[in-house]
């Protein structure tokens, strides 16, 4: 019966979260337009499904019960310290979009010099374009994705990134989503739509930063649509400074010969949950879904992915590597579906966890569902401690035990970053990670 | 004063006694070869001297440079000038050779109260050492030992030895897995590092390494004890008659 108690107690949380939009719940009585219609659809779906509990299989390892302990409200966002934000970001030569608590901030954003054929806009300004309205909220079945439904129930801002056919972004676009609650816990719902037309190319980095203060509840939805031969590098950094929630739902649809290179680096505190659904809806697609995470303190990092091979002759690669220290927990759930039509699929999946403490925990659940008969699919999962031989080798060269452990932990994460195909982003994240780790090492992480 | 004095050393691994009373004295500048059949305790001796976990000393003592070596942690032994060239050098993915070696050299310099090298100074220092050994330094750009051939791994150990300038170098089966050309290259490196203040303990199963690194003394280790000591001719005798001959004579 405890399950019923849990469900009952999450209901008031949902009510509070629905009210807790920046500026309050949008007044949709009699409102028209595509965004209002989507919000209504989102509200219907989340009201029907409720917030997910651990009784639901995809949420088996991750609990949202702690949401109950907090009086969520719509964030004010006054007094955020942007110098702190800068120090939490990788150093990149990039166009920048800044969102404060999910709101497009045109003063802090810098989009000067965007090339022709590239549009980066607040979502409401893009709603006259049918290519946008037809796509927005179309990639995620809201009835099966409660957090995306909750996001959609609040859909009144966000960012559109659209690259016309044959065009390319000449430098990366860095979307910085800053959560700042000040003194009252705050919930917000960033929303992104990235559309690359035929043979377009772009690199987009999402940095999700939570500033010190009361906890934040960030619930992001990103939809990505790649037309034939489009190429997207899509990289994400998550770093919350306090024990809040950083949840995201990402849906990617790849057409013929497109390339998607995705990477998620999670370094912050609190509860992190990334739901990623990549559909290889074309032939000769190269889909890469990789990530690295560092659990520390009492943090909880859950990467739940679904790779859907819908057409023949495509390749997917998935490597997630996590370091789990202190009392943290890492979860990886990776489902790969190969549909009957998807002959000659090549799918590879690997999850490696490094446990640094007796109280840390790793859960790894690969799931292959294969209906085509001519495929190459593999998966592997390892969970272990630091390697004694490597530690001894370093110590035998004069390096003390703590430094040796730090070197190996850093190397483990650095190696994971090597999956990133875009060299400038890879290098920037290498440097960012090294700098981010130093104070953690000094604080006794290893 | 001897650089290394091992007195009645006993050690066990997983509760099994492997070293059963080793006595050995090494003077600065000397090269001692320790030869023996498989399972005689050669590698155990090298690990005990380097301080590896799981190799438990149950009796005896080791005096190194006036200090009780067995009281020191592995990293302290290294900083005091003990260097173990591994039989199987360990691969460390994600750590560039230069980074690894800079940590190592700076740990030693800090221990000895010297200023640490910055990145530029270090690169200059290492290039100099590599040049002295007539070795390319490009392998330092790669992750430590990852994807190295057997010969490259052993040359990397030799380069590390040159950079760390030990007082006592223990070469554990440095010849294993090397073809003759690689063996010569590594031996040339080792010979270049012979010095009046530096001693070496060359642990090997076969005599062929000793054709190139000629020892001052040769000891035969069998069943956890040194059963015979002599000059370099003892190695040739072993080559000719095998271990059985000496084991029988000692029995």
């Amino acid at each position: 019966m405890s399950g019923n108690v849990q469900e009952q107690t999450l209901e008031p949380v949902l009510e509070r979260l629905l009210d807790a939009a920046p500026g309050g719940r949008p007044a949709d009585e009699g409102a028209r337009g595509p965004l209002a219609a989507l919000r209504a659809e989102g509200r219907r779906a989340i009201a029907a499904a409720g917030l997910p509990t651990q009784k639901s299989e995809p949420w088996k390892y991750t609990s949202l019960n702690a949401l109950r302990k907090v009086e969520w409200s719509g964030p004010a966002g006054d007094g955020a310290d942007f110098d702190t934000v800068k120090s939490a970001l990788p150093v990149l030569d990039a166009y920048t979009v800044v969102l404060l608590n999910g709101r497009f901030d045109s003063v802090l954003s810098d989009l000067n010099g965007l090339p022709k054929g590239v549009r980066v806009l607040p979502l409401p300004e893009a709603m006259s374009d049918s290519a946008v309205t037809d796509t927005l909220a179309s990639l995620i079945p809201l009835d099966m994705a409660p957090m995306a439904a909750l996001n959609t129930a609040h859909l009144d801002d966000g960012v559109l990134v659209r690259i016309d056919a044959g065009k390319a972004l000449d430098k990366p676009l860095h979307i910085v989503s800053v959560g700042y609650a000040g003194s009252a816990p705050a919930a917000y719902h960033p929303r992104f739509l990235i559309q690359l037309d035929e043979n377009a190319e772009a690199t987009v980095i999402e940095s999700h930063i939570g500033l010190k203060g009361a906890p934040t509840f960030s619930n992001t939805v990103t939809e990505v649509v790649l037309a034939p031969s489009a190429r997207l590098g899509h990289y994400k950094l998550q770093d919350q400074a306090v024990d809040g929630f950083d949840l995201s739902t990402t849906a990617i649809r790849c057409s013929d010969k497109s390339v998607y290179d995705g990477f998620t680096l999670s370094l912050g505190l609190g509860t992190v949950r990334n739901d990623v659904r990549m559909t290889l809806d074309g032939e000769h697609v190269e889909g890469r879904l990789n990530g690295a995470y560092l659990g520390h303190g009492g943090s909880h990092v859950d990467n739940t992915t679904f790779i859907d091979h819908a057409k023949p002759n495509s390749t997917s690669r998935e490597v997630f590597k996590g370091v789990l220290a202190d009392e943290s927990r890492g979860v990886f759930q990776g489902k790969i579906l190969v549909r009957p039509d998807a002959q000659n699929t090549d799918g590879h999946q690997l999850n490696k966890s490094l446990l640094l403490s007796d109280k840390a925990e790793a859960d790894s659940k690969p799931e292959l569902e294969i209906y085509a008969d001519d495929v190459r699919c593999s998966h592997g999962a390892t969970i272990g401690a630091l390697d004694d031989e490597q530690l001894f080798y370093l110590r035998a060269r004069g390096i003390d035990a703590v430094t040796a452990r730090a070197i190996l932990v850093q190397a483990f994460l650095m190696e994971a970053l090597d999956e990133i195909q875009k060299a400038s982003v890879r290098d920037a994240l290498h440097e960012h990670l090294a700098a981010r780790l130093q104070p953690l090492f000094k604080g006794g992480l290893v | 004063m001897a650089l290394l004095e091992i007195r009645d050393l006993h050690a066990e691994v997983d509760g099994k006694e492997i070293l059963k009373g080793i006595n050995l004295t090494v003077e600065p500048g000397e090269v001692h070869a320790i030869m023996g059949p498989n399972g005689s305790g050669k590698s155990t001796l090298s690990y005990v001297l380097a301080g590896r976990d799981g190799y438990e000393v149950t009796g005896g003592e080791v005096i190194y440079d006036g200090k009780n070596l067995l009281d020191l942690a592995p990293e302290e032994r290294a900083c005091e000038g003990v260097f173990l060239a591994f039989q199987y050098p360990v691969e460390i993915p994600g750590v560039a050779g230069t980074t690894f070696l800079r940590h190592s050299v700076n740990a030693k310099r800090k221990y000895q109260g010297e200023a640490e090298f910055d990145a530029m100074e270090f690169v200059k220092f290492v290039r100099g050492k590599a040049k002295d050994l007539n070795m390319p330094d490009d392998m330092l750009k790669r992750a430590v030992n990852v994807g190295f051939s057997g010969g490259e791994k052993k040359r990397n150990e030799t380069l590390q030895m040159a950079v760390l300038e030990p007082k006592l170098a223990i070469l554990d089966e440095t010849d294993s897995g090397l073809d003759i050309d690689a063996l010569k290259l590594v031996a040339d490196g080792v010979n270049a590092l012979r010095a009046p203040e530096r001693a070496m303990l060359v642990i090997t199963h076969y005599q062929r390494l000793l054709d190139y690194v000629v020892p001052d003394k040769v000891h035969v280790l069998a069943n956890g004890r040194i059963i015979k000591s002599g000059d370099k001719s003892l190695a040739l005798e072993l080559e000719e008659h095998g271990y059985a001959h000496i084991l029988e004579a000692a029995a």
Side-chain angles (χ1 to χ4, degrees), chain B residues 32-52:
Chain B
H32 288 227
I34 299 193
M35 302 184 70
N38 291 331
S40 59
K42 300 190 301 290
S43 282
T44 298
L45 177 61
S46 66
Y47 282 143
V48 166
L49 293 177
R52 184 164 194 167

Side-chain angles (χ1 to χ4, degrees), chain A residues 214-431:
Chain A
T216 49
F217 173 88
S218 173
N219 176 36
T220 306
V221 169
T222 306
E223 291 173 282
V224 175
V225 182
L226 301 184
S229 303
R231 294 170 303 280
L232 177 67
H234 186 200
Y235 311 112
K236 182 151 97 170
L237 170 70
Q238 297 176 297
D239 200 346
Q240 283 202 333
V242 291
D243 186 6
F245 293 81
D246 188 346
L247 313 180
S248 75
T249 310
T250 305
I252 305 128
R253 192 169 70 215
C254 304
S255 308
D256 287 345
K257 294 182 186 165
S258 59
V259 179
Y260 177 83
D261 182 43
F263 195 95
T264 300
L265 176 62
S266 310
L267 301 175
L269 291 173
T271 299
V272 174
R273 157 86 176 194
N274 299 312
D275 262 289
V276 185
R277 163 187 289 260
M278 176 166 74
T279 307
L280 281 63
D281 192 22
E283 295 195 42
H284 305 288
V285 174
E286 189 186 335
R288 300 165 51 87
L289 215 54
N290 302 308
Y293 43 97
L294 171 67
H296 54 113
S299 72
H300 179 108
V301 188
D302 176 342
N303 284 289
T304 294
T305 66
F306 175 44
I307 297 177
D308 183 350
H309 279 269
K311 298 275 168 67
N313 301 317
S314 285
T315 301
S316 68
R317 177 179 170 86
E318 184 172 31
V319 180
F320 277 81
K321 293 185 184 174
V323 172
L324 300 163
D326 305 330
E327 296 178 18
S328 67
R329 187 170 179 190
V331 177
F332 174 78
Q333 303 185 97
K335 182 173 175 177
I336 300 176
L337 170 65
V338 182
R339 293 184 189 265
D341 189 31
Q343 298 294 355
N344 201 23
T345 284
D346 193 334
H348 171 73
Q349 181 193 83
L350 179 66
N351 176 224
K352 276 174 101 170
S353 307
L354 187 56
L355 296 179
L356 298 184
S357 118
D358 291 344
K359 290 178 178 163
E361 183 179 333
D363 301 281
S364 190
K365 194 178 91 178
E367 200 182 341
L368 265 56
E369 219 178 292
I370 300 173
Y371 297 103
D373 48 25
D374 185 15
V375 301
R376 283 179 305 281
C377 278
S378 67
H379 68 87
T382 62
I383 299 173
L386 286 170
D387 184 285
D388 283 337
E389 288 206 7
Q390 293 178 340
L391 280 173
F392 177 62
Y393 192 64
L394 291 164
R395 294 181 72 189
R397 295 294 177 257
I399 299 166
D400 69 85
V402 172
T403 306
R405 290 169 68 84
I407 288 171
L408 294 179
V409 166
Q410 181 162 332
F412 182 87
L413 293 169
M414 289 295 191
E415 234 208 336
L417 290 178
D418 289 343
E419 293 294 336
I420 295 173
Q421 306 256 289
K422 182 80 180 174
S424 63
V425 176
R426 186 172 63 229
D427 293 348
L429 285 178
H430 270 148
E431 279 193 26

Side-chain angles (χ1 to χ4, degrees), chain B residues 225-246:
Chain B
R225 288 190 191 89
I226 290 176
I227 56 165
K228 189 166 187 182
S229 297
D231 61 15
K232 61 184 177 185
S233 63
L234 178 56
L236 296 169
E237 191 186 327
L238 278 171
E239 179 78 356
E240 198 169 329
H241 302 292
Y243 284 107
H245 172 73
I246 282 184

Side-chain angles (χ1 to χ4, degrees), chain A residues 22-172:
Chain A
R25 194 192 288 222
D28 277 340
E29 289 300 323
R32 286 164 188 274
L35 287 178
L38 287 172
R39 283 195 293 270
E41 177 60 14
R43 271 199 304 278
R44 185 202 57 74
I46 185 64
L51 287 172
T53 69
Q54 288 182 275
K55 285 204 298 180
S56 143
E57 184 66 21
W59 289 81
K60 188 176 161 187
Y61 299 103
T62 298
S63 166
L64 294 179
N65 281 345
L67 282 171
R68 279 182 295 162
K69 297 179 196 154
V70 182
E71 289 280 336
W72 300 104
S73 63
D78 301 332
D81 173 9
F82 282 95
D83 289 338
T84 317
V85 176
K86 273 186 191 152
S87 68
L89 295 173
V91 180
L92 279 163
D93 179 21
Y95 302 107
T96 311
V97 167
V98 178
L99 288 94
L100 181 56
N101 295 328
R103 294 277 182 198
F104 196 115
D105 190 315
S106 51
V107 175
L108 292 167
S109 299
D110 180 6
L111 294 169
N112 280 329
L114 273 182
K116 270 190 181 161
V118 175
R119 273 168 288 169
V120 180
L121 297 172
L123 260 177
E125 291 177 23
M127 297 315 288
S128 55
D129 182 347
S130 65
V132 175
T133 50
D134 289 351
T135 311
L136 190 62
S138 73
L139 269 65
I140 304 167
L142 294 183
D143 288 322
M144 290 163 64
M147 300 322 295
L150 180 62
N151 173 293
T152 305
H154 290 93
L155 179 50
D156 63 351
D157 204 340
V159 183
L160 167 79
V161 180
R162 177 106 198 256
I163 319 279
D164 288 346
K167 301 291 183 189
L169 253 180
D170 54 340
K171 56 184 181 181

